Amino acid sequence: MFEWDDGNVEHIAQHGVTPEEAEDAFVDTRRRGLPAYNVGNERRWAFIGNAGGRLLFVVYTRRGSRIRVVAARDAELAERRQYRKK
C-alpha cells in the first residue's frame, strides 16, 4: 500500500519521523485534510494526523494503487490547533 525508498525515508528522518509513524497518521479517523501543492503533473495532498500521540503534518501523493509519503514532520502550533477544532 505504501511506497518507501531511501529518498523518502531519509527525508522524513530529517524531521525525526519514521515510516511507521507516517503510516499510523493515515489511519487516524480524526485526521484533518489541508491544502497541498502539486509538482508538475503530480497531485499532492496533505493532512494532520495522530501517530501514537504525536501530531504529524504529512504530504503524500498516489502512484497507481500505492501511497508515497513525500514529507512528514511534527505539526506546528497553528496546525495542532486546527486539528483539535475538528
Side-chain angles (χ1 to χ4, degrees):
M1 176 168 173
F2 288 89
E3 177 183 302
W4 294 105
D5 61 27
D6 290 344
N8 61 346
V9 171
E10 290 173 10
H11 184 74
I12 68 171
Q14 292 174 2
H15 299 282
V17 179
T18 66
E20 294 79 18
E21 288 173 313
E23 290 179 17
D24 284 349
F26 273 89
V27 297
D28 177 7
T29 58
R30 294 186 58 215
R31 73 177 183 254
R32 175 116 173 147
L34 296 171
Y37 55 91
N38 296 330
V39 175
N41 292 335
E42 187 172 73
R43 174 116 167 87
R44 295 190 177 181
W45 293 270
F47 69 90
I48 304 165
N50 189 322
R54 183 178 182 187
L55 285 181
L56 297 178
F57 175 84
V58 179
V59 177
Y60 68 98
T61 191
R62 291 193 172 270
R63 293 188 177 165
S65 63
R66 312 218 17 107
I67 295 170
R68 181 176 177 82
V69 174
V70 176
R73 58 165 171 76
D74 287 308
E76 295 175 353
L77 181 59
E79 294 161 344
R80 291 193 304 262
R81 286 183 181 144
Q82 191 171 9
Y83 175 87
R84 291 183 182 116
K85 282 183 182 179
K86 186 174 181 182

